[in-house]
Amino acid sequence: MMRVIILLLTLDVLGVSSVMMEKRLKQKLEGKWRTIYLAASTEDKIKEGSPLRTYFRLILCGRNCNQIYLYFFIKKGAKCQEYKVTGRKEQEVYFAEYEGNNALVLKTVNEKILLFHYFNTNKKNEVTRVAGVLGKGKQLTKEEMTEYMNLVESIGIEDEKVLRVMDTDNCPSKIKIK
C-alpha cells in the first residue's frame, strides 16, 4: 500500500512539474517581439523585399506550446503583408510551412531577447540557413550580441551576412490576430 501511495505522489509531482515547465516556456515565448537582426546563408533571401526578411510582431503558444503561432510582416515594395504561420513541435524543433518547409529552433536568452534559427527548404530543395534575434527593445547588449553572433557562427553563416533589419521596419506595430 505504501508503494502505491509513493508512486501516486511521484506521478502527481511529475505532472505538476511538467505543467510548471510548460507555463514557464509559454511565459518565455509568448508576447510582442520585433526582429532586430537576421543573417542567412543565402543573403538574397533576407534582403529588402525578400520572403525570408520577416518583421516579427507576436508569438503565441497553443496546446502547451506544442504549437506556436508566429505573426509577422513581409514587405513587398512599399506594402507590408501580414502573415500567420503555425509551427508544430517535435522534440525541441518546430516545423512550419512558409516559403517551403522550415525546421525552427527558439532559444530564450532573457525576458527581452529571443534567438532563433531555422532551415528553410524551398520547392527546388535548396536549403537556406537563417539566424535571427527578436527583442522587446531596439538594441542588444554586448553580451546579447555575442550570444547572437555565436549562434550565427554555429550554423555556418559568415559574420558579414548579418543585417540589422529593425532599421527598415516601417510596418504597422499591431497585427490582426485571426
Side-chain angles (χ1 to χ4, degrees):
M1 180 67 171
M2 186 57 125
R3 286 184 183 164
V4 171
I5 292 172
I6 291 172
L7 178 63
L8 289 173
L9 285 172
T10 303
L11 290 174
D12 188 48
V13 167
L14 288 174
V16 168
S17 171
S18 145
V19 167
M20 296 289 282
M21 283 175 48
E22 289 164 2
K23 281 185 180 179
R24 274 187 253 143
L25 179 62
K26 186 173 181 163
Q27 287 173 340
K28 288 179 178 183
L29 294 183
E30 277 198 333
K32 295 177 182 179
W33 295 100
R34 300 291 288 248
T35 310
I36 301 174
Y37 289 96
L38 286 175
S41 56
T42 307
E43 201 171 353
D44 283 351
K45 298 282 185 155
I46 60 166
K47 70 180 183 183
E48 275 200 77
S50 297
L52 299 184
R53 188 177 184 113
T54 52
Y55 298 103
F56 269 82
R57 291 297 183 267
L58 182 66
I59 297 176
L60 295 175
C61 280
R63 297 184 184 166
N64 302 321
C65 284
N66 286 320
Q67 283 188 337
I68 54 171
Y69 306 100
L70 309 169
Y71 296 87
F72 56 88
F73 287 102
I74 299 294
K75 283 177 30 177
K76 298 196 178 195
K79 289 192 170 198
C80 294
Q81 187 170 342
E82 186 178 313
Y83 286 86
K84 174 189 175 187
V85 173
T86 302
R88 287 171 180 41
K89 189 174 184 181
E90 291 180 29
Q91 291 162 355
E92 297 305 310
V93 179
Y94 290 95
F95 293 92
E97 288 184 27
Y98 169 75
E99 291 295 315
N101 294 311
N102 299 279
L104 169 72
V105 176
L106 297 165
K107 179 186 179 207
T108 56
V109 174
N110 56 44
E111 66 280 350
K112 295 179 185 175
I113 299 296
L114 181 64
L115 298 180
F116 68 90
H117 72 276
Y118 64 93
F119 297 90
N120 169 269
T121 306
N122 67 16
K123 291 175 184 166
K124 298 177 186 173
N125 267 344
E126 299 166 328
V127 176
T128 302
R129 298 178 312 277
V130 178
V133 59
L134 305 177
K136 300 218 172 164
K138 295 182 179 192
Q139 298 292 331
L140 299 180
T141 65
K142 233 180 222 184
E143 294 81 20
E144 292 165 346
M145 190 64 183
T146 299
E147 193 154 348
Y148 173 59
M149 294 308 291
N150 288 341
L151 171 66
V152 167
E153 183 181 323
S154 74
I155 64 168
I157 300 173
E158 297 85 19
D159 291 358
E160 58 271 7
K161 293 185 177 180
V162 173
L163 303 176
R164 182 173 164 86
V165 299
M166 178 167 264
D167 297 337
T168 61
D169 184 352
N170 57 3
C171 292
S173 57
K174 292 196 178 194
I175 202 150
K176 296 174 197 137
I177 299 175
K178 298 171 187 171

